[in-house]
Amino acid sequence: MPDRNADLITALQGAVGAGHVLTAEAATRRFRTGYRFGTGKVLAVVRPGSLVEQWRVLQACHQAGVIIIMQASNTGLTGGSTPDGDEYDRPIVLISTTRMAKIHLLEGGRQVVCLPGATLFQLEKTLRPLGREPHSVIGSSCLGASVLGGISNNSGGALIHRGPAFTQLAIYARVNEAGAIELVNHIGLRLGNDPEAMLTRLERGDFTADEIEHPAGRAASDPDYAQHVREIDAATPARFNADPRRLCEASGSAGKLMIFAVRLDSFAAEKETAVFYIGSNDAAALTRIRRDILGGFASLPVAGEYIHRTAFDIAALYGKDTVIAIEKLGTDRLPALFAAKAKFDAFASRFSFLPKDLSDRLMQAASQLFPQHLPARMRDYRDRFEHHLLLKMSGPGIAEARTYLASLFPSAGGDFFECTPEEGAKAFLHRFAVAGAAIRYRAIHRDTVSDIVALDVALRRNDQEWVERLPAEMDGKLLHKLYYGHFFCHVFHQDYVVKAGHDPIAIEHEMWGLLDGRGAEYPAEHNVGHLYPAKPALAAHYQALDPCNCFNPGIGQTSKLYCWGEEEAA
């Protein structure tokens, strides 16, 4: 085995260059350790710089019989982009795709072709001069999110009328039932038949308008979601990870394929928008707003984000530097900033006398040197109301919402105000900062926190009792409960900060039972990773994509040791 491993490293270095094959523990740490969850050992981290290099890496790994983990942005939400422990039966090669970040515009930007490393920020910046937008704007859970990661992991996004990230147009490689590698071109571009020539042309954008096809029955976004989400009396969730309607090849593949590019629709940017900030002490009032707007408004909202008071408070203190960084540096520089943070953490980990999470502690201390960053009206609503709803409308929907909200408020338990542009931007940045705030809280309070249980939950569209009530015994094991999410889609992120001395895994499994009793689906918009067993539809999807279990064993399974044995891999 050592000789075989050495031969593979040599082959990988020949494919991508020695400088892009990382084997040292310190060098691989930031790739094999998830931001939220997941860590383990790898034989190597490989960083191909072209699609042809990526293809050659796949061939070398397949010939060596190793496990392959595909990684775009390493958010570590459910552990699917990193190893999970060290109890695998074969070596692991982790392939990081971030060096391949090209985007090609089709038909004046009406559609785009994104290579594996392209980020949502990059796509948004590319489309902005054309007056168009991607499926999602700044994400709800991570900075530097990749486009392919969103497609692969059923990401939902915050924009109500566009639905989950989805496409049926992609070019990818798989290991088929016979154990052979095959390149599948379903991206709707005539590129020829030779794999390396096809990938070279794809990367260069070397195709003409005549070679762009629109295959019948294949869509580059979800065409039905705007109507689907309006069905407020349906007894099923609007969107969730294992929904068979949105599992197609690359979409929902979770690293069970090697994807080289996806083709996506873009959307006309909204020319006029307004944000309404709603506060209430009565959850039923927000339920009424959701049902009235989805069921009766002519215009769907652009976005509708919920924040509970506790989540507001944690984000105000522990997400302050995130908001300031986005405002001062812009989104373009943030991926580089967080990459530098990861490198600093890897360096600091070599010295046992330094505190764990040193960079988080330094950033938290620095954030307190800045003045209050949240607008006065938002802080006032925090004091007055438990529940906060950010409603963003566009075009004719602005007047429609203004008139409707004025008919409801002020009331005994609630009120609203129409945000200035600065207030609206701050409100949504604050909502974004909630997702990382619990992680920062854990870093600063290691002595009192066992860990975080992070769930994303899809409630049924007809559910009116959406506020969670935990049993007293379970509630007593938690320091904080952070509730936030995409209110009109009925998708909630629920982060539980577990007290030291209690088992987060046991608590999470107990939570699953409560959610099952409510008819909820989970995970809603990330992927099952190593945390959840895949539901039957998703498990069947995985098996069809990766029948030989070459890619990231353990995704959606309860055991990691179900892959090729040594004899079969030889």
Side-chain angles (χ1 to χ4, degrees):
M1 179 61 71
D3 289 342
R4 176 188 285 179
N5 290 346
D7 290 344
L8 175 57
I9 296 298
T10 300
L12 295 173
Q13 291 173 337
V16 305
H20 297 296
V21 179
L22 311 178
T23 56
E25 184 173 347
T28 61
R29 179 181 183 272
R30 68 187 179 99
F31 297 94
R32 57 183 174 81
T33 302
Y35 176 57
R36 284 200 183 208
F37 174 85
T39 189
K41 294 179 180 179
V42 296
L43 175 65
V45 172
V46 186
R47 304 185 66 225
S50 71
L51 298 184
V52 169
E53 288 184 2
Q54 185 180 348
W55 172 254
R56 292 172 180 172
V57 166
L58 172 60
Q59 290 178 311
C61 290
H62 181 61
Q63 185 175 0
V66 297
I67 293 167
I68 301 165
I69 293 181
M70 298 299 300
Q71 183 184 98
S73 295
N74 179 16
T75 60
L77 292 169
T78 58
S81 57
T82 66
D84 180 26
D86 300 324
E87 298 177 357
Y88 290 89
D89 64 339
R90 292 175 289 145
I92 296 172
V93 172
L94 190 155
I95 302 174
S96 171
T97 63
T98 56
R99 293 180 62 217
M100 300 172 289
K102 287 185 179 179
I103 295 172
H104 300 304
L105 300 176
L106 303 183
E107 300 173 343
R110 190 182 67 81
Q111 289 188 328
V112 295
V113 171
C114 295
L115 272 58
T119 67
L120 199 55
F121 292 152
Q122 178 188 356
L123 179 56
E124 190 175 357
K125 182 178 179 181
T126 301
L127 291 171
R128 189 178 297 126
L130 305 176
R132 301 191 69 82
E133 293 178 336
H135 158 269
S136 300
V137 291
I138 188 168
S140 66
S141 53
C142 63
L143 293 162
S146 69
V147 175
L148 265 68
I151 294 295
S152 299
N153 293 313
N154 302 96
S155 297
L159 302 182
I160 295 168
H161 52 296
R162 298 182 192 172
F166 176 76
T167 186
Q168 295 170 310
L169 300 171
I171 184 167
Y172 59 87
R174 67 189 291 263
V175 179
N176 62 25
E177 291 82 351
I181 299 172
E182 58 184 15
L183 185 67
V184 180
N185 181 8
H186 285 167
I187 203 166
L189 299 171
R190 294 199 298 273
L191 299 169
N193 297 308
D194 176 73
E196 292 201 2
M198 293 167 65
L199 295 175
T200 298
R201 290 188 62 194
L202 179 64
E203 182 152 16
R204 292 176 179 171
D206 182 17
F207 40 82
T208 67
D210 291 339
E211 293 173 312
I212 300 172
E213 300 175 328
H214 295 276
R218 287 188 174 265
S221 62
D222 187 334
D224 305 316
Y225 189 76
Q227 178 56 40
H228 184 72
V229 74
R230 282 186 179 273
E231 296 170 2
I232 55 176
D233 293 317
T236 56
R239 53 180 170 90
F240 59 99
N241 172 266
D243 186 350
R245 294 176 62 247
R246 301 182 187 91
L247 297 175
C248 179
E249 299 175 351
S251 293
S253 59
K256 290 290 190 178
L257 296 172
M258 178 172 281
I259 306 173
F260 292 90
V262 296
R263 179 173 161 186
L264 302 169
D265 290 329
S266 70
F267 302 85
E270 306 289 354
K271 294 179 179 174
E272 180 187 15
T273 62
V275 175
F276 299 90
Y277 199 105
I278 303 163
S280 179
N281 291 314
D282 181 8
L286 297 192
T287 300
R288 176 183 174 184
I289 290 171
R290 174 181 173 270
R291 291 180 62 84
D292 285 351
I293 290 178
L294 290 180
F297 269 36
S299 302
L300 272 178
V302 175
E305 295 295 293
Y306 170 77
I307 311 176
H308 184 266
R309 178 187 278 154
T310 302
F312 184 108
D313 290 346
I314 296 292
L317 182 58
Y318 297 96
K320 181 178 179 180
D321 60 310
T322 297
V323 174
I324 293 171
I326 292 173
E327 286 188 317
K328 302 297 183 185
L329 300 178
T331 55
D332 292 344
R333 298 181 184 177
L334 288 181
L337 174 65
F338 278 78
K341 176 184 181 297
K343 290 180 180 178
F344 177 85
D345 288 338
F347 175 78
S349 68
R350 302 177 186 179
F351 305 97
S352 59
F353 61 88
L354 292 176
K356 192 172 184 179
D357 305 307
L358 178 60
S359 65
D360 283 290
R361 294 176 181 274
L362 293 173
M363 292 168 70
Q364 183 63 27
S367 72
Q368 303 313 302
L369 301 177
F370 287 83
Q372 172 59 249
H373 65 298
L374 295 179
R377 288 201 286 183
M378 282 178 59
R379 301 198 309 273
D380 174 62
Y381 268 46
R382 179 264 164 224
D383 294 338
R384 293 169 57 193
F385 303 117
E386 178 182 3
H387 305 288
H388 298 237
L389 179 62
L390 284 56
L391 177 64
K392 186 174 185 178
M393 303 295 298
S394 66
I398 297 173
E400 195 173 15
R402 187 181 291 136
T403 300
Y404 170 74
L405 293 174
S407 73
L408 297 181
F409 300 114
S411 68
D415 207 348
F416 86 100
F417 65 88
E418 187 170 343
C419 295
T420 66
E422 180 183 3
E423 287 174 327
K426 277 281 181 70
F428 274 90
L429 281 179
H430 184 60
R431 156 65 185 90
F432 170 78
V434 176
I439 307 300
R440 174 64 58 77
Y441 184 96
R442 178 183 65 184
I444 303 300
H445 299 282
R446 289 279 182 182
D447 54 338
T448 60
V449 175
S450 173
D451 208 339
I452 295 168
V453 171
L455 300 175
D456 62 300
V457 177
L459 300 183
R460 296 168 296 192
R461 283 169 284 174
N462 65 349
D463 275 333
Q464 300 193 37
E465 298 296 328
W466 51 273
V467 176
E468 184 175 64
R469 305 276 188 247
L470 294 178
E473 181 182 0
M474 182 185 295
D475 198 57
K477 300 174 183 178
L478 307 175
L479 285 169
H480 298 290
K481 304 185 294 289
L482 280 66
Y483 298 104
Y484 55 103
H486 315 306
F487 187 66
F488 287 82
C489 299
H490 251 198
V491 170
F492 293 89
H493 299 286
Q494 302 177 180
D495 294 347
Y496 307 92
V497 183
V498 180
K499 291 179 181 178
H502 296 283
D503 181 0
I505 299 299
I507 291 173
E508 180 166 13
H509 290 179
E510 194 174 350
M511 295 278 187
W512 293 356
L514 297 177
L515 293 172
D516 289 340
R518 298 172 67 188
E521 291 282 355
Y522 54 92
E525 60 177 5
H526 301 133
N527 218 292
V528 294
H530 297 293
L531 289 180
Y532 304 89
K535 297 285 180 71
L538 192 59
H541 183 55
Y542 289 160
Q543 180 60 32
L545 298 179
D546 185 20
C548 295
N549 295 315
C550 301
F551 295 93
N552 204 351
I555 287 276
Q557 305 295 327
T558 56
S559 170
K560 294 182 280 292
L561 303 179
Y562 72 112
C563 317
W564 289 347
E566 277 303 314
E567 290 185 2
E568 292 171 289

